[in-house]
Amino acid sequence: MNYNEFSLLYNDILTQNKLDKYINDEICAKFFEFYNILIETNKVMNVTRILDARDAIVKHFADCLLLAELIPDEELCLIDVGCGGGFPTIPLAIVKKSLKITAIDSTTKKVDFVNSTAKALGLNNVTAVSARAEEFIDGKRESFDFATSRAVARLNMLVELTLPYVKIGGKLLAMKGAAVNEELEEALEGIKKLGGKHVKTYNIDLLDGDDINTRGIALIEKASKTPTTYPRKFGQIKNKPL
């Protein structure tokens, strides 16, 4: 696929989803380059199952741009817990140049991919680190304006892996699917124990013609300090969520 074909798809999908502010040649060119990196890397390493250009624009790029809409264009810091193949880290870094992003993942190959991709795209606002969330917390407790995560764990587990990183007044933006309200219900007690407060849930239909992909973003604000006993070891979090 050449750039002109990609840009037509990109512009169409973003227009459908009222993401017009991200339609310009500079941003589109970055996403085109990112898409090509994903395709080439996927020949030797499993980065994503979504390889069709249209699907990638809808399910990866536009999905992450929905999240970008909730983050101010200011000099802020964000931690992406379980960054995987670079989502939402790389899309956020492309459109939020003043946002300093720390991406962590326990799989070294994925971290190397995120770092090399950021370098190839000229993104100086990304640092990816190979680490487990419950261990990386040392020295970084309550030091981020935002935390986010996509397709890592159910919310009742995810809040313990993310909220300890968020400073008071900061926010967790948990990217979820159609079951976000169900997950939120089972996580409310844990959110409270961790010093969080559920503020709002964004239920969004991600459009692609007649196809509708339901997305949910849970917005949780950090109201008070997280007790230092959290996060626990991952086995404890998994076996007995808060």
Side-chain angles (χ1 to χ4, degrees):
M1 171 171 285
N2 62 40
Y3 175 72
N4 288 336
E5 292 170 329
F6 180 89
S7 64
L8 286 173
L9 281 176
Y10 177 87
N11 292 352
D12 176 40
I13 291 163
L14 266 61
T15 299
Q16 288 184 58
N17 290 285
K18 297 181 173 61
L19 295 167
D20 307 66
K21 66 186 287 186
Y22 304 112
I23 297 177
N24 66 56
D25 285 339
E26 180 185 356
I27 292 175
C28 184
K30 292 286 188 187
F31 277 112
F32 179 61
E33 188 176 355
F34 182 26
Y35 171 69
N36 284 319
I37 290 171
L38 284 169
I39 294 299
E40 288 304 308
T41 304
N42 226 62
K43 293 176 181 178
V44 295
M45 183 177 84
N46 183 24
V47 180
T48 176
R49 295 191 300 270
I50 300 172
L51 301 175
D52 175 76
R54 187 175 200 99
D55 284 346
I57 293 169
V58 175
K59 297 175 182 178
H60 280 330
F61 304 159
D63 184 32
C64 293
L65 292 178
L66 294 174
L67 182 74
E69 288 285 86
L70 305 179
I71 301 172
D73 291 318
E74 301 172 8
E75 291 187 3
L76 300 167
C77 56
L78 175 146
I79 184 166
D80 179 14
V81 175
C83 61
F87 303 104
T89 288
I90 298 297
L92 288 180
I94 289 173
V95 301
K96 298 283 182 181
K97 294 182 180 179
S98 59
L99 183 66
K100 184 179 179 181
I101 302 172
T102 299
I104 64 172
D105 199 282
S106 60
T107 304
T108 302
K109 284 185 178 180
K110 291 180 179 178
V111 167
D112 291 342
F113 170 76
V114 171
N115 277 324
S116 64
T117 300
K119 185 177 180 180
L121 297 177
L123 304 174
N124 299 317
N125 54 342
V126 173
T127 302
V129 180
S130 179
R132 299 189 64 86
E134 68 275 20
E135 298 169 356
F136 189 65
I137 191 72
D138 289 345
K140 299 168 187 69
R141 182 177 294 274
E142 289 163 345
S143 60
F144 291 89
D145 299 293
F146 286 91
T148 192
S149 189
R150 181 179 187 245
V152 170
R154 285 187 72 84
L155 195 56
N156 62 348
M157 295 170 55
L158 183 65
V159 290
E160 189 169 350
L161 297 170
T162 51
L163 271 177
Y165 286 99
V166 181
K167 62 179 66 171
I168 295 176
K171 297 175 178 66
L172 164 63
L173 295 168
M175 301 178 72
K176 290 291 176 180
V180 62
N181 293 321
E182 175 190 329
E183 289 194 35
L184 180 64
E185 187 65 29
E186 66 184 22
L188 286 175
E189 185 176 344
I191 290 169
K192 185 177 179 180
K193 287 181 180 179
L194 295 161
K197 178 179 68 173
H198 174 243
V199 175
K200 185 174 182 177
T201 298
Y202 297 87
N203 293 287
I204 305 164
D205 287 334
L206 189 56
L207 306 177
D208 177 20
D210 293 331
D211 292 335
I212 299 175
N213 296 274
T214 302
R215 295 289 190 265
I217 301 175
L219 170 58
I220 298 162
E221 186 173 299
K222 188 69 169 287
S224 60
K225 285 192 173 186
T226 299
T228 55
T229 49
Y230 305 116
R232 297 166 294 163
K233 292 181 179 180
F234 185 74
Q236 295 174 296
I237 296 172
K238 183 178 180 180
N239 292 331
K240 193 175 181 180
L242 296 175

